[in-house]
Amino acid sequence: MGQVAELKCVLCGRSYREGEVDYTCTSCGIDGTLDVLYDFDDAGAQMTRAGMAANPDRSLWRYWPVLPVRETAHVQPLAVGWTPIYRSDRLAAEYGVKRLYIKDDGRNPTASLKDRASAVGVGKALDHGRRAVACASTGNAASSLAGFSAVAGLESFIFVPKTAPEAKVAQLLIYGARVMLVNGTYEDAFNLSTAAIGEFGWYNRNCAINPYLVEGKKTCAMEISEQLDWEVPDWVFISVGDGCCLSGLYKGFRDLEQIGLIDRIPRLCGVQADGCRPVYNAFKEGRERVQFGPSNTLADSISVGAPRNWAKALRAARLSRGDMITVTDDKILDAMRELARQAGVFGEPAGVTGYAGFRKMAMEGGLRETDTVAVVVTGNGLKDIASARKACGEPVAVEPDLDEFVKALRSRGMLPRA
């Protein structure tokens, strides 16, 4: 795969050779997340527009010159990436932008964007000869890791808050993961996983700690660029929890710019829930560090009061000349309904939070009629059926009789027009 040139701390700028450090900067500690950098001249020679167009591989591994897994034998056969991107002229017209694209990453193997990170993480675990991997998660990263570990023959140890949706816990169990339901918050689960990883020497899949995981997530940005014929949008919206997805988008666009495949980085907007907004607060207040806070939102995948990838997330929004925005849980539920009914994409609450943020910015006049916008839906709606039911209400119960059926429709004002 790609040749890693160096690892560089996002806080102090200290550089390391690959293998010199396990996960984070030795000077800055756990907050010192690292950038994975490549020989971009070499990558550019391999990744030309003509060459990419002729590449039959429709997965994230089409970007292998800038991916860090060393052995192709460590790539699992699950079809990760190259998820569909839909143009919605109806919604673009409604919200006053030139074009709107919906990138549906809920179409990955375990139904979330997190599969991109797990594909790379499991590959790196095998590179290092590890037989067990572990992570903390609000749900999606966990089920993703469990699925890829199962295919690779690795043991997986998963730490999730006991409030994780049942569908996500079921995914973990069906893949054979060792599941720990932690009686506490995501931060509690994260701290316990970190301690256990240190105790038993498991490979750390926590995306905000392991620098290689963002390399998988960045491929979402690369696909958006390529699927739009290298004409990047003016804005890209995505939900923010730990900060890894937002920072992954920035890294993907930045790598393509350095290679020469695109000429600019889109403005990136990270969207948080009103009840869990530590990255938003730091961004709006101009602070250099994030102050951890409460996590109170039905969007469980972004219910992260102690985001560990805050440094890269803030950098992504600031260096892209982007923004941060918050939305209420009610608006997230509205977004679930609207996106499904207008664009045919069924996202879980955290998955559609980016779309809810796009709607809010558009309605507040923050976007122009000439703007092209992409929204990333990070997870499938079947991940959280309870929230979907809150969003859409109850079905009509009827007797198996036509007259009773018509009466039920009439009483609800549901009679179809002729």
Side-chain angles (χ1 to χ4, degrees), residues 35 113 116-117 207 211-224 236 238-240 242-256 265 268 309 311-317 376:
D35 278 326
L113 186 150
R116 298 177 183 274
C207 192
Y212 300 108
L213 276 295
V214 167
E215 297 303 290
K217 291 190 176 186
K218 77 180 181 185
T219 60
C220 183
M222 294 177 163
E223 287 175 20
I224 291 172
V236 181
I238 196 166
S239 57
V240 173
D242 235 348
C244 300
C245 290
L246 178 62
S247 59
L249 287 183
Y250 178 79
K251 183 61 159 55
F253 288 122
R254 176 61 177 147
D255 281 4
L256 290 183
I265 297 174
L268 304 178
N309 216 355
K312 287 184 179 179
L314 287 176
R315 180 185 65 175
V376 180

Side-chain angles (χ1 to χ4, degrees), residues 12 30 93 108 180 187 192 370 412:
C12 72
I30 196 169
N108 277 306
M180 316 298 158
E187 183 177 6
L192 180 58
T370 56
R412 292 166 174 78

